[in-house]
Amino acid sequence: MPDSPRQQILLGFHAVRARLKTEATSIQSVLIDRDRQDARLKALSAELKALGCPVSLESGRQLDRLAKGQRHQGVLALADYRDPGLRYEDLLDGQGFMVFLDGVTDPHNLGAVLRTAEASGARAVVAPKDHSAPLNEVAVRVSAGASETLPYLQVTNLVRAIEQAQDKGYWALAFADEAAESFYAQSLAEQPHLLIFGSEDRGIRRLVREQADVQVGLPMMGSVSSLNVSVACGVACYEMLRQRQEKQNQV
């Protein structure tokens, strides 16, 4: 177990390999299931040794204990916590888009959102410090390496953070099931945007909704009334990417 808040556990191949690419020196040690002999683990072990990372062969039970029952694929790393070294204000340069999460507390959802947001070109994922999922070992594993390159920033006041971005020219879209406007009717190619998503049970808080420039929804054509937040985020991020690429191709 990490013995300091400045340490973390990285679970699985994606998380360990991503850290090797971004900051290999932050890895203190890597534990590998000694009973697994597959080529994938052998290749990773050789790569780690070539980089000078300490590797320890342990029982599967020991890895399960350190991973607290979470899936680890036979490999986990003990590493220094990486501070993004970035302030929210540093991102407000009028470029691209960011994803905002309000009340999303499940680290699995956070990890999935990070993965999609990073893949589609988002600048960051932003959430309030209170009542939000931590960037723990579960979120890092589910993000499949995205947490190593995409900033996850937690701010004191989400409404104020939205207002700061709007002052810099960002257009804030709040996703709500009851919204009258369709997300697909929005023009996304020109202006920098904030895409704001709430928790599945409560949605976006009233003050956050009211601060947004417009409330939008995704069309639901079947019997279900809503999407998982990470799925909705994926739909929105890739529509953002589609429109922006289409605009670039027209130039």
Side-chain angles (χ1 to χ4, degrees), residues 3-184:
D3 56 14
S4 164
R6 307 304 297 171
Q7 294 176 315
Q8 65 181 146
I9 293 180
L10 307 175
L11 301 176
F13 285 96
H14 286 302
V16 174
R17 284 194 178 279
R19 180 60 65 88
L20 284 174
K21 290 180 180 178
T22 57
E23 196 173 343
T25 56
S26 71
I27 295 178
Q28 300 168 5
S29 63
V30 179
L31 283 63
I32 291 178
D33 188 342
R34 64 186 176 213
D35 296 322
R36 287 190 55 171
Q37 301 294 324
D38 55 276
R40 192 181 186 192
L41 267 179
K42 288 181 178 179
L44 177 61
S45 180
E47 182 180 350
L48 290 164
K49 291 176 180 177
L51 291 170
C53 293
V55 176
S56 175
L57 299 180
E58 304 287 346
S59 67
R61 181 176 297 180
Q62 171 71 347
L63 268 67
D64 291 342
R65 184 183 68 81
L66 290 172
K68 299 180 182 178
Q70 296 296 326
R71 184 165 173 259
H72 52 70
Q73 301 175 299
V75 58
L76 63 80
L78 302 178
D80 295 329
Y81 174 79
R82 290 181 69 238
D83 191 319
L86 188 69
R87 300 180 309 150
Y88 173 67
E89 291 78 7
D90 297 332
L91 292 167
L92 301 181
D93 57 3
Q95 302 295 318
F97 70 98
M98 290 184 279
V99 173
F100 276 50
L101 301 178
D102 183 34
V104 176
T105 58
D106 182 356
H108 289 88
N109 277 333
L110 172 60
V113 166
L114 286 167
R115 183 174 186 174
T116 298
E118 198 277 341
S120 58
R123 299 287 306 283
V125 173
V126 180
K129 290 181 178 178
D130 297 328
H131 307 296
S132 291
L135 187 61
N136 61 14
E137 56 267 25
V138 175
V140 170
R141 175 181 61 80
V142 175
S143 79
S147 63
E148 292 295 319
T149 54
L150 182 70
Y152 175 53
L153 302 179
Q154 291 182 286
V155 297
T156 301
N157 187 319
L158 198 65
V159 172
R160 175 60 183 148
I162 294 169
E163 183 181 21
Q164 287 178 276
Q166 290 167 321
D167 289 344
K168 297 290 187 179
Y170 287 75
W171 189 252
L173 303 176
F175 285 76
D177 294 338
E178 68 277 11
E181 290 198 38
S182 170
F183 174 65
Y184 289 114

Side-chain angles (χ1 to χ4, degrees), residues 173-213:
L173 303 176
F175 285 76
D177 294 338
E178 68 277 11
E181 290 198 38
S182 170
F183 174 65
Y184 289 114
Q186 309 303 307
S187 177
L188 308 171
E190 302 285 350
Q191 201 169 354
H193 282 77
L194 309 180
L195 304 180
I196 309 169
F197 301 91
S199 65
E200 292 175 51
D201 54 344
R202 298 183 180 180
I204 299 172
R205 290 172 296 165
R206 178 181 60 82
L207 290 178
V208 176
R209 290 200 312 270
E210 291 175 354
Q211 184 62 45
D213 293 294

